[in-house]
Amino acid sequence: MAVRAVRGAVQLERDDAQHMQEQVGELLTAILERNDLLADDLISVWFTATPDLHSDFPAAAARALGITDVPLICAQELDIDGAMERVVRVLAHVETGLSKAGIAHVYLGAAGALRKDIAQ
């Protein structure tokens, strides 16, 4: 098994705690499914949120999915003029047999425009 990093992002429609939980939960589920991972394969997960999101911690969505024994941390994304609004980004460190090239990075909806080079 190797340690790999998986990226992902989702743009929220609004700053609402329930909406954030649903959308970030969908993102985490897609990351796990597309990479054939289980919650036990997660080593740690970093979340960032753009400065316009403050209704909840993105990590709360992971806890709601039952990811309870994995270190999680949230941070604020840089406030860059012209950057996409209402975005939650994820960087997950995982144990997997996949090669670096085999990792599926997941960018849902409009967030796919952020990293067209790696979004799958």
Side-chain angles (χ1 to χ4, degrees):
M1 289 293 200
V3 174
R4 301 284 185 224
V6 185
R7 288 288 318 268
V10 64
Q11 184 182 39
L12 306 184
E13 294 175 15
R14 61 192 174 280
D15 183 23
D16 172 79
Q18 181 64 34
H19 180 61
M20 180 182 291
Q21 183 172 328
E22 291 167 0
Q23 294 297 299
V24 175
E26 181 180 334
L27 175 61
L28 291 170
T29 299
I31 287 171
L32 293 173
E33 288 177 355
R34 293 183 194 180
N35 289 286
D36 197 26
L37 298 168
L38 302 172
D40 282 347
D41 299 321
L42 295 169
I43 297 168
S44 63
V45 184
W46 281 82
F47 297 89
T48 65
T50 51
D52 51 2
L53 294 174
H54 42 74
S55 62
D56 201 0
F57 294 100
R63 299 295 185 222
L65 289 176
I67 300 172
T68 58
D69 62 350
V70 176
L72 308 174
I73 192 164
C74 298
Q76 187 176 52
E77 190 70 34
L78 294 173
D79 190 8
I80 304 296
D81 289 337
M84 187 178 286
E85 298 178 339
R86 299 177 317 281
V87 175
V88 174
R89 290 172 174 84
V90 173
L91 174 63
H93 299 97
V94 303
E95 291 181 314
T96 181
L98 294 172
S99 67
K100 287 182 184 179
I103 295 291
H105 303 283
V106 181
Y107 289 76
L108 299 179
L114 294 171
R115 290 297 307 264
K116 291 179 184 177
D117 58 322
I118 64 171
Q120 297 180 9

